[in-house]
Amino acid sequence: MEALLDINWRLFAIVTLNGLTLASLYFIVASGFSLIFGLMRVVNMAHGSLYLLGAYIGFEVSEATGSWLLGIAAAAVVVGAAGAALQVSILSWMQGQDLRQALATIGVSIVAADLMLAQWGGSAYQITLPGAVSSFVPVPVAGRYAMARLMLIGFALVIGIGLWLMLNRTRVGMLIRAGVDDRRMLEALGVNVPLVFVGVFAIGAGLAGVAGVIGGSVLSVSPGEDARYLLSSLIVVIVGGMGSIPGAAIGALLVAMAETYGLAYTPTYGIVYTFAIMVAVLAVRPQGLLGRAA
Amino acid sequence: MLRNGLTLGATATLAALMGTTALSAQEEETITIGGLATLEGPFAAPGEDGLRGVELAIEEFGGEIAGHPIEMITASSDGNPDVALESARRLVEQDGADIMIGPLSGSEGIRIAQYAKEQPGTTFLNGGSAAIETTLVDPAENFFRFNTEGAQWTAPLGEYVVNERGWDNIVIVSEDYSFPYAQIFGFMATYCEAGGTVQDKYFTPVGNNDYSSVIAQLPLETGEVDGMYVVLGGSDAVNFLSQYAQMGGQLPIVGGTNVTDQTVLTTQGPARELLPGILSSGPVSDNADLEAWQEFVQRYQDYFGDEGLPSPSLFASNYYTNTKAALLALQEVEGDLSNDHEALNEALSNLEFTSPTGPVSLNENRQATAAIYINEVVEQADGSLALEPLERIEEVDQYLGLGREAYMELGLPSRDNPSCPS
């Protein structure tokens, strides 16, 4: 009996850490998604494709150069540019038409998925982590835990705090917040709003790209991941509140915890919990936990 | 000019419409083969290779049988039975396929075999799917499976790990659908019989990519548990193995057939460290010194060159075998498709031939009896991984050698059946 209790606590600690690390990954992907939505009201259905593209680029670059950090940087830059291009070439033509933009991005995601399948094939890749983080660290109760996964939590904290500082403490952040509140007034004040839009799109897409490399290192990259992370981002922001970065953090935590505890303790119903949370939030607080009423 | 174009178009349409009905009495009517495989989703690479097998078989016959040109059309699925059914309907009901080859995934196969009953005028051959139920539970008269299925593939392995490796207590990690159930069913049928026990089974949803919560419950090295039986495919296998390796797991592994498929063996990263030495079993062995296999590999490599995989996968082999069966039977009846393919179906039922993996024949359920290999993953001189045959077991039948009655008593595979706890 004593041994049983002992094992259960260890498992519980590990599962909790797993939930936290998965939440970190979900947060990084969803924060970009939420940022774009918050300012432009664009539901970017190609966000998952940007994640997958980032992962593949990170794989190619880190394979070629042997440097994982270069892979992250390349993914952030290239995917950020791809996001900006998406905004300039397609979405800017239908600014303000939410539904049309959502449909256009679905189209983009389908084309992108096929192009990436043609280029990288159907098999799964894994991005090699630097030796320094592919080790274990002793953790109380859990025994030991993979450094790479703990690093994920650190990444999410850095990105979360960075985003918060940028939005609340810088001029760019002020512009973005002003744009969220009153786009026309901002334009009247002489700010080049379309340029701000492109910039925000690039940041949001770049975050997806970075998340792709991290996800591709800790987990793996294969076709179909695009739809998976788009779905998780959607659920996270629906739960947390569209356009809110702290909301994305809370949403990611709830969704990832439900998923991991579900898989560990009741494997059959893991997916049900996620949607149950979404349904509950929609029923009680349709704008999301930290979302503002439209 | 415009008017002319319109008339021409209308005539062509009319001719095309007539083609399906009026011309069927003529001798040189084209015979259409519909290939159905997963070209989307996690099994995209296996699906692509499966269709290469179909193409290769048709090419082998010079694209015609007894004066009938053979036309190949294809449709895609994503591993989901509903999508597979929709694509099959399109091939059969809209595009007029005479012969269907497919699908690829286990649960898809069960659905397509049901659909075959609604379409007695079409002959269905399996592609790569390998669930037990497809040809066991109320099998369709016009559905033929010239490849062996999931339980046949793993039956020899269960006995082998007990007798040759001395294992008697294992844990199982598996995806949660019909094909892995079959692989566990076949394995455990002989494993439990030989005296082995299964301590625990862990089922995860297909496409799950974070296995850490399952891994936390697994032993990392041998002790009470001798080894682990892993039944995962494609990226699921890669994810699980690399995360298990990252957590420092060292338990010896026996794999379901898909764990050692070329799509997994070509992976890079931590998973690769665990792959050499894994035991598995299945219809194909990359390094088999069988003449028919080597010929097949040569023809595959000559025809597809760099486009194909370094060595044909399990799926290319299975799709090829089924297509070749269809073409051999067509040759025998000289392309006679009259009376709901009566002659063709009869010929198929009695057909015996040499597939890339050796002689194959069908039983009364139109399910193949053929040889199975026990394989070990080895590192080749050029650094690539391949399956090295340890043993070849001839004529493994649908009932795993138990006879129909004893086999039926085992019941149908599920999460809980079979079980042999310690």
Side-chain angles (χ1 to χ4, degrees), chain B residues 2-18:
Chain B
L2 183 70
R3 201 184 152 70
N4 268 350
L6 276 178
T7 324
L8 213 63
T11 319
T13 317
L14 204 65
L17 281 174
M18 286 167 65

Side-chain angles (χ1 to χ4, degrees), chain B residues 319-369:
Chain B
Y319 270 83
Y320 170 87
T321 302
N322 282 297
T323 313
K324 186 163 181 180
L327 295 172
L328 284 171
L330 267 178
Q331 203 166 42
E332 199 180 311
V333 301
E334 293 176 342
D336 175 14
L337 294 182
S338 61
N339 217 353
D340 278 352
H341 299 197
E342 198 183 356
L344 174 67
N345 290 353
E346 176 74 24
L348 275 168
S349 301
N350 299 320
L351 184 68
E352 285 182 28
F353 69 105
T354 304
S355 76
T357 59
V360 55
S361 61
L362 295 186
N363 70 1
E364 72 280 8
N365 289 340
R366 294 158 296 284
Q367 166 61 46
T369 302

Side-chain angles (χ1 to χ4, degrees), chain B residues 113-391:
Chain B
Q114 284 168 2
Y115 172 63
K117 290 186 197 160
E118 294 170 26
Q119 299 291 340
T122 305
T123 299
F124 290 76
L125 287 101
N126 189 55
S129 86
I132 290 178
E133 293 89 336
T134 315
T135 51
L136 186 69
V137 182
D138 195 13
E141 295 289 333
N142 53 337
F143 188 97
F144 301 84
R145 182 153 69 179
F146 279 88
N147 62 286
T148 39
E149 39 90 324
Q152 290 171 283
W153 293 350
T154 52
L157 186 63
E159 212 169 11
Y160 187 89
V161 297
V162 175
N163 295 337
E164 303 291 323
R165 298 282 152 122
W167 294 10
D168 59 10
N169 193 20
I170 58 164
V171 289
I172 295 177
V173 180
S174 166
E175 283 154 340
D176 203 1
Y177 74 102
S178 58
F179 171 70
Y181 294 165
Q183 294 243 288
I184 294 172
F185 187 84
F187 179 87
M188 285 178 69
T190 61
Y191 172 80
C192 300
E193 184 75 25
T197 55
V198 174
Q199 179 150 319
D200 236 324
K201 293 184 215 164
Y202 301 91
F203 288 100
T204 63
V206 185
N208 179 50
N209 65 4
D210 188 353
Y211 287 90
S212 46
S213 298
V214 174
I215 291 169
Q217 302 171 60
L218 296 174
L220 293 178
E221 39 204 45
T222 45
E224 229 175 279
V225 174
D226 298 311
M228 172 163 58
Y229 180 41
V230 180
V231 193
L232 303 166
S235 57
D236 288 349
V238 174
N239 279 326
F240 173 78
L241 291 175
S242 49
Q243 288 165 30
Y244 186 67
Q246 275 170 352
M247 287 289 169
Q250 285 164 353
L251 211 56
I253 294 173
V254 283
T257 310
N258 287 348
V259 172
T260 53
D261 185 67
Q262 281 291 332
T263 47
V264 177
L265 293 185
T266 46
T267 191
Q268 285 135 354
R272 206 177 179 286
E273 296 159 23
L274 284 181
L275 285 168
I278 289 188
L279 287 180
S280 76
S281 62
V284 162
S285 180
D286 299 329
N287 293 347
D289 60 355
L290 193 71
E291 201 178 312
W293 175 251
Q294 283 167 354
E295 246 171 57
F296 174 64
V297 173
Q298 194 60 47
R299 289 173 39 79
Y300 176 94
Q301 287 167 344
D302 289 347
Y303 190 74
F304 294 109
D306 290 339
E307 251 177 62
L309 295 172
S311 174
S313 70
L314 167 71
F315 304 96
S317 167
N318 284 341
Y319 270 83
Y320 170 87
T321 302
N322 282 297
T323 313
K324 186 163 181 180
L327 295 172
L328 284 171
L330 267 178
Q331 203 166 42
E332 199 180 311
V333 301
E334 293 176 342
D336 175 14
L337 294 182
S338 61
N339 217 353
D340 278 352
H341 299 197
E342 198 183 356
L344 174 67
N345 290 353
E346 176 74 24
L348 275 168
S349 301
N350 299 320
L351 184 68
E352 285 182 28
F353 69 105
T354 304
S355 76
T357 59
V360 55
S361 61
L362 295 186
N363 70 1
E364 72 280 8
N365 289 340
R366 294 158 296 284
Q367 166 61 46
T369 302
I372 301 297
Y373 286 99
I374 292 175
N375 293 308
E376 182 174 5
V377 177
V378 294
E379 191 152 5
Q380 313 257 74
D382 62 359
S384 64
L385 298 177
L387 290 173
E388 182 73 26
L390 298 178
E391 214 171 288

Side-chain angles (χ1 to χ4, degrees), chain A residues 10 126 136 149 220 228 268, chain B residues 209-210 216 239 246 270 415:
Chain A
R10 192 186 73 90
Q126 203 175 30
F136 296 93
R149 282 178 165 266
S220 77
R228 181 190 166 85
T268 319
Chain B
N209 65 4
D210 188 353
N239 279 326
Q246 275 170 352
R415 291 172 152 206

Side-chain angles (χ1 to χ4, degrees), chain A residues 154-197:
Chain A
F155 256 104
L157 285 175
V158 169
I159 287 173
I161 294 171
L163 270 180
W164 187 84
L165 285 177
M166 186 197 81
L167 284 176
N168 292 294
R169 292 285 183 272
T170 67
R171 192 180 142 72
V172 177
M174 220 189 296
L175 288 179
I176 294 175
R177 280 182 296 137
V180 172
D181 287 340
D182 197 332
R183 209 176 299 166
R184 278 157 186 273
M185 183 55 84
L186 186 65
E187 213 155 358
L189 290 172
V191 173
N192 186 350
V193 172
L195 191 66
V196 176
F197 280 9

